[in-house]
Amino acid sequence: MSVAKKEYKRVTVKSLIEMKQDGEKISMLTSYDYSMGKIVDAAQVDVILVGDSASNVIAGHETTLPITLDQMIYHASSVVRAAKRALVVVDIPFGSYQGDSKEALRSAIRIMKESGAHAIKVEGGAEIQGSIGRILEAGIPVMGHLGLTPQSIYKFGTYTVRAKEEQEAEKLKEDAKLLEEIGCFGIVLEKIPAKLAQEVAESVSIPIIGIGAGGGVDGQVLVVHDLLGMTHEFNPRFLRRYMNLYEDMGNAISQYVDDVKSRDFPNENEQY
Ligand code: KIV
């Protein structure tokens, strides 16, 4: 089904708020390198997230904790060179903002200055209000991230659905309001009940982007390797795979190996 949407030469944080007001859903997808960034941008994805999920899908770590600020800046600058239309948002990695608000500001400035990205994303609510405030004061747009926050995985011990209990749901609602009040331009809600996510989306004027948070929010985000089926062992219920690249790429590469071994490649037309 084709969807009526406004043309944007460059998506900005203002465009996202406009999309929410117009009832146009926002598409967001990760990228970590130039080639993927080009494809994702050309497909008119509104927001490209240089997620710290690079730690998992690119570097092969079990969690997002090991990725460094320098590594995030490297990924982000590659994506920025590719993105002509999308807003590029970069995750501020674990260990680069929790110390104090000065450290948070320094890290955010490095991301913006060295990568050319347009905004940063931070995990957490009231606990890091001071750091978010300081970054916003410097004129850097900030996106929040609540619900399942993978940088706190060792505090929770599992990747199961968050905020099912009343107390956690109340705290999440308060944090969302707080992030709106202090000036965040949007919030990612990860793996929480759809009803709660919709309630949050209806209670704030900034866009709520969900991952595993149902369809009642203002937009959706996925990890591009999951959407394309490059990661085949990760099968959460919320994931819709549009391709099975793990298999297709494996088959293509096996064929190449066979062609080399059988001397079929290169043929006469593939040489000088
Ligand atoms: O790092 C990431 O890819 C993310 C998304 C899952 C929202 O934060």
Side-chain angles (χ1 to χ4, degrees):
M1 186 178 75
S2 83
V3 186
K5 50 187 189 208
K6 235 186 225 168
E7 291 295 322
Y8 290 97
K9 264 206 174 126
R10 168 69 80 176
V11 177
T12 65
V13 295
K14 284 227 169 80
S15 331
L16 300 183
I17 292 174
E18 206 174 280
M19 287 181 199
K20 170 157 180 151
Q21 285 165 352
D22 293 350
E24 176 180 339
K25 297 279 184 183
I26 297 164
S27 59
M28 176 161 155
L29 197 58
T30 65
S31 290
Y32 317 99
D33 64 67
Y34 178 78
S35 302
M36 187 68 87
K38 275 207 91 94
I39 297 169
V40 170
D41 189 62
Q44 306 251 304
V45 167
D46 298 312
V47 184
I48 301 184
L49 173 65
V50 183
D52 57 1
S53 49
S55 181
N56 311 110
V57 292
I58 303 296
H61 292 295
E62 240 177 67
T63 73
T64 58
L65 275 65
I67 200 159
T68 65
L69 185 58
D70 284 336
Q71 289 165 342
M72 287 303 297
I73 290 170
Y74 169 75
H75 287 299
S77 53
S78 309
V79 171
V80 166
R81 284 190 284 275
K84 303 291 175 235
R85 176 186 175 274
L87 179 83
V88 180
V89 180
V90 182
D91 265 335
I92 183 161
F94 178 73
S96 69
Y97 65 98
Q98 289 90 346
D100 58 37
S101 62
K102 251 194 194 162
E103 182 197 30
L105 177 60
R106 217 176 300 122
S107 300
I109 286 177
R110 277 201 62 203
I111 291 175
M112 301 296 284
K113 220 178 168 66
E114 296 176 36
S115 76
H118 310 127
I120 60 147
K121 176 164 82 58
V122 182
E123 292 186 10
E127 324 73 60
I128 53 159
Q129 178 182 354
S131 295
I132 297 177
R134 190 109 191 221
I135 297 169
L136 286 163
E137 274 164 24
I140 299 172
V142 178
M143 178 169 234
H145 183 153
L146 302 171
L148 173 63
T149 46
Q151 291 180 10
S152 313
I153 182 60
Y154 292 119
K155 179 172 156 196
F156 297 103
T158 117
Y159 286 101
T160 52
V161 179
R162 291 285 140 77
K164 279 163 91 177
E165 307 301 330
E166 185 63 28
Q167 205 180 345
E168 203 184 335
E170 280 309 311
K171 157 107 173 78
L172 188 142
K173 285 194 259 184
E174 284 166 18
D175 278 343
K177 273 269 168 219
L178 176 77
L179 293 179
E180 177 190 31
E181 274 161 28
I182 63 176
C184 288
F185 71 87
I187 303 172
V188 165
L189 289 185
E190 182 165 353
K191 224 170 171 188
I192 64 166
K195 194 161 162 279
L196 172 63
Q198 178 165 357
E199 208 182 307
V200 173
E202 285 169 358
S203 73
V204 294
S205 58
I206 55 173
I208 299 295
I209 313 293
I211 173 163
V217 291
D218 307 303
Q220 299 293 326
V221 56
L222 284 176
V223 167
V224 68
H225 289 64
D226 298 336
L227 174 151
L228 296 174
M230 286 168 88
T231 47
H232 71 302
E233 284 160 347
F234 180 63
N235 287 304
R237 189 208 294 200
F238 68 75
L239 175 60
R240 185 179 293 181
R241 286 193 203 288
Y242 289 82
M243 294 185 86
N244 186 353
L245 275 192
Y246 184 86
E247 218 172 280
D248 292 348
M249 289 170 85
N251 289 339
I253 293 165
S254 296
Q255 185 63 55
Y256 163 74
V257 172
D258 288 351
D259 290 352
V260 170
K261 299 279 181 197
S262 68
R263 297 177 166 76
D264 181 78
F265 176 78
N267 65 24
E268 277 174 19
N269 298 325
E270 290 163 332
Q271 61 192 10
Y272 299 100

